Amino acid sequence: MQSDVLAALAAFEQVAAHRSLTQAAHALGVTPAALSQTIKKLETRLGVRLFERTTRSVNLSEAGHAYLARVAPALASLKAATEDLQSSAGVEGGTLRLTLSYMAGQFLIEPLLPEFFAQHPHIGLELMYDDGFVDIVRDGLDLGMRIGESLERDMVAVPLTREFRMRCVASPDYLRAHGTPRHPDDLAAHRCINYRMRSSGAIYKWEFLVDGDIAEYAVRGPLITTHWQTGLNAATAGLGIAMGWDLTLVEPLRTSTLVEVLPEYSAGFPGLYAYHPRQAHLPLKTRVFLDFLRERLPTIAP
């Protein structure tokens, strides 16, 4: 098979996976214009239209669906063969595309980047932040990281940290002005800072361990945000009570800029997991990164 045909088939697979020339071009490291020309040349060579294009979307045609079903397994076999050869020769390289939450990125992964790149200079990382669940197969990614309870069942989950706890916090000034709640029921009389989940659009109901069971509370207050750090900043400024993972609260609690309230009702949740599709062959770059995290994360996660 000619090398240009093989490259065109790989480009075809990426466009089919992303349903976007722009996103597929980004994944391949080429311009959208160059990728569009590659696809057009492949369609001309085959004599069929592989995609139905509009100004807003790129979708497989009926012929494209049939063709992808035939070529995708062959491309996967070629990729696996290459990675097997590199693995047996001890060669590691390539770019690992990873989706993760802002919390995991800022507090767990980013502090380890200098050490990882020093140990593995031939592996690149592309970090894509999204607090909602991401379909890594659909989006052509290698790995995802989420709190354990939010994983899809058809994924292989790799535990990376201990469980996290949700903690309720407020500034000393707020507590002096408004008093300290003694039971989650007392939050109805307080100003609470809410978090809207981008994945579902719903406002997160605060969870507490009450009488041995997890109880949910719909709280009210002056601010709703889609980013946890905004909520903690608002709490630090005295605007109300916020809820956050203990991972994000180590420094504010240490310096007493925030004070924990209702600690006896704090609920625990599964820790951080990496996830990837079930497959017989895991790429070397993915195995190297996971091994590094399993070794280093326990030393920095609180």
Side-chain angles (χ1 to χ4, degrees):
M1 181 180 293
Q2 296 178 351
S3 60
D4 62 331
V5 176
L6 184 59
L9 291 178
F12 163 63
E13 183 185 41
Q14 284 294 313
V15 176
H18 289 279
R19 296 184 181 181
S20 164
L21 282 170
T22 301
Q23 293 182 23
H26 181 68
L28 292 166
V30 299
T31 66
L35 180 57
S36 179
Q37 285 300 313
T38 298
I39 296 300
K40 287 180 181 178
K41 288 179 181 179
L42 178 61
E43 290 177 325
T44 300
R45 183 190 293 267
L46 297 173
V48 297
R49 179 177 287 275
L50 297 172
F51 294 99
E52 301 294 346
R53 302 170 179 83
T54 70
T55 56
R56 295 185 177 182
S57 64
V58 179
N59 296 304
L60 283 167
S61 65
E62 183 177 353
H65 276 291
Y67 193 53
L68 180 64
R70 295 291 300 273
V71 303
L75 290 172
S77 294
L78 287 171
K79 183 178 179 181
T82 300
E83 289 170 344
D84 281 340
L85 180 62
Q86 292 175 328
S87 179
S88 63
V91 177
E92 57 181 50
T95 297
L96 182 71
R97 304 184 70 224
L98 167 68
T99 172
L100 68 169
S101 67
Y102 291 94
M103 179 193 73
Q106 182 173 347
F107 288 91
L108 295 177
I109 303 305
E110 291 177 16
L112 295 176
L113 291 180
E115 182 179 354
F116 178 78
F117 288 131
Q119 293 182 16
H120 306 284
H122 301 298
I123 297 180
L125 295 176
E126 182 175 351
L127 306 180
M128 284 158 280
Y129 290 101
D130 193 323
D131 283 332
F133 181 79
V134 173
D135 186 334
I136 60 177
V137 175
R138 180 198 64 201
D139 292 346
L141 308 180
D142 298 295
L143 200 63
M145 287 185 184
R146 293 294 185 274
I147 299 299
E149 66 173 5
S150 63
L151 297 180
E152 295 289 325
R153 293 182 179 178
D154 60 348
M155 290 286 140
V156 176
V158 181
L160 297 175
T161 68
R162 61 156 182 81
E163 75 169 20
F164 294 132
R165 302 195 73 79
M166 290 293 284
R167 302 195 184 278
C168 207
V169 294
S171 72
D173 288 343
Y174 175 88
L175 296 177
R176 279 192 293 269
H178 300 277
T180 300
R182 303 300 178 187
H183 187 278
D185 290 344
D186 298 340
L187 293 173
H190 282 269
R191 298 162 61 86
C192 298
I193 299 164
N194 270 304
Y195 174 77
R196 188 181 297 279
M197 296 177 287
R198 277 184 271 190
S199 55
S200 65
I203 292 180
Y204 169 69
K205 292 183 178 180
W206 291 15
E207 297 169 275
F208 295 96
L209 188 63
V210 179
D211 297 328
D213 294 315
I214 297 294
E216 295 183 343
Y217 288 78
V219 298
R220 295 183 179 181
L223 178 65
I224 301 172
T225 178
T226 59
H227 198 290
W228 59 267
Q229 186 62 62
T230 302
L232 295 185
N233 291 345
T236 302
L239 299 184
I241 300 175
M243 181 75 86
W245 296 107
D246 56 0
L247 183 66
T248 68
L249 294 168
V250 175
E251 189 63 15
L253 292 176
R254 185 188 69 80
T255 58
S256 298
T257 55
L258 289 173
V259 177
E260 183 175 7
V261 297
L262 304 174
E264 63 271 35
Y265 297 100
S266 175
F269 297 90
L272 184 70
Y273 283 71
Y275 65 95
H276 59 80
R278 297 186 184 277
Q279 57 192 96
H281 178 90
L282 196 62
L284 179 60
K285 61 186 178 183
T286 306
R287 297 200 305 270
V288 167
F289 188 61
L290 286 176
D291 288 343
F292 173 81
L293 293 182
R294 281 194 292 251
E295 177 184 350
R296 292 293 288 113
L297 277 181
T299 67
I300 68 169

